[in-house]
Amino acid sequence: YNEYKSYLRMCTLRPFTCEDLFKFNKVNFDPLTENYGTAFYLQYLVYWPEYCTIAESPDGQIEGYILGKSEGQGEEWHGHVTTLTVSPQFRRLGIAHILMNQLEKISEAQKCYFVDLFVRISNDVAINMYRRFGYSVYRQIIEYYAGGNAPHSPPDEDAYDMRKALSHDKEGKSLIAKKKTNKNHRIIFKLTYGTERR
C-alpha cells in the first residue's frame, strides 16, 4: 500500500492535448475501452478542455486519461464521464480514482449537481470500481452500445447510467428516479439512434 502511495505521488496530471492523439494507442488496446475517431476527441478538446486530463508517469508514459463534459439545465446540470481508461501496466495503482476525482472537482467548480457515466452491464469490473468511488445505478438504457451489422459482430448491449451526487445537490435528488417502470425500479429508455450515443 505504501508503495502505491509513493508511486501516485510521482503521477502527474496534465491537460490532454492534440499531440496525445498520436501517443495513446497503447492505452486503448484494452477491448473494453471505447475507441472513437479523431474528430470525436478533437471536439472534446475544443469545447471541454478542462474535462480532458492525462495521467503521466515520471518517464513521460501515458498511464491513463479521462474525457468528459458538462451539460444539462437546472437541476440536471451535471458533469459527464465520456471515457476513462488506464493502461494495463498501470492498473490497480489508484490512477482511475485520481482521474475521476479530478473530473469531480471540475464539476464541483462548475456547480454541477451530479456526475454521471455509462458502462456496459457486462463490465462487472468497471461497475464495481465505480461503486467503490461512490456511484450507484440510476437507470438501465436498452441497447445503448451498438454491436454493428457485420457477420459475427457482438450484439447490442444495454448500459447502466451510474451517478454520484455532488455538494450542490444537498438532498441527493439527482439519484432518485422520477419514474419507476418495472419491479426492479429501473428506468428503461429505448434509444432510437443506430449508433452509440455519448
Side-chain angles (χ1 to χ4, degrees), residues 86-128:
V86 176
S87 180
Q89 70 192 94
F90 295 110
R91 288 178 184 167
R92 302 186 182 278
L93 295 173
I95 294 171
H97 200 184
I98 290 176
L99 289 167
M100 289 292 291
N101 282 341
Q102 176 71 4
L103 186 139
E104 290 168 13
K105 288 178 182 177
I106 294 168
S107 298
E108 286 276 14
Q110 296 200 12
K111 298 183 178 180
C112 293
Y113 284 82
F114 62 93
V115 171
D116 78 345
L117 57 91
F118 299 115
V119 60
R120 292 177 182 270
I121 62 171
S122 63
N123 192 350
D124 291 332
V125 172
I127 293 168
N128 290 331

Side-chain angles (χ1 to χ4, degrees), residues 41-76:
Y41 295 103
L42 291 175
Q43 178 186 24
Y44 275 77
L45 295 180
V46 170
Y47 290 105
W48 304 283
E50 69 278 13
Y51 275 95
C52 304
T53 304
I54 289 280
E56 191 172 69
S57 68
D59 61 357
Q61 294 186 70
I62 295 178
E63 300 170 325
Y65 66 87
I66 191 167
L67 300 180
K69 60 184 176 179
S70 53
E71 59 184 358
Q73 296 180 345
E75 293 185 350
E76 289 298 313

Side-chain angles (χ1 to χ4, degrees), residues 15-26:
F16 195 122
T17 69
C18 293
E19 292 181 357
D20 292 318
L21 296 174
F22 303 100
K23 303 176 184 177
F24 71 166
N25 282 341
K26 290 183 179 179

Side-chain angles (χ1 to χ4, degrees), residues 49 53 57 62 65 69 78 93 95 132 141-142 150 164 170 173 175 197:
T53 304
S57 68
I62 295 178
Y65 66 87
K69 60 184 176 179
H78 67 281
L93 295 173
I95 294 171
R132 291 195 302 272
I141 305 177
I142 295 176
K164 180 179 181 178
K170 294 180 173 57
K173 292 181 180 179
L175 306 181
R197 200 176 96 186

Side-chain angles (χ1 to χ4, degrees), residues 143-149 156 191-198:
E143 297 176 3
Y144 179 82
Y145 293 98
N149 299 319
D156 294 345
L191 294 185
T192 59
Y193 302 95
T195 57
E196 179 191 342
R197 200 176 96 186
R198 280 288 179 182

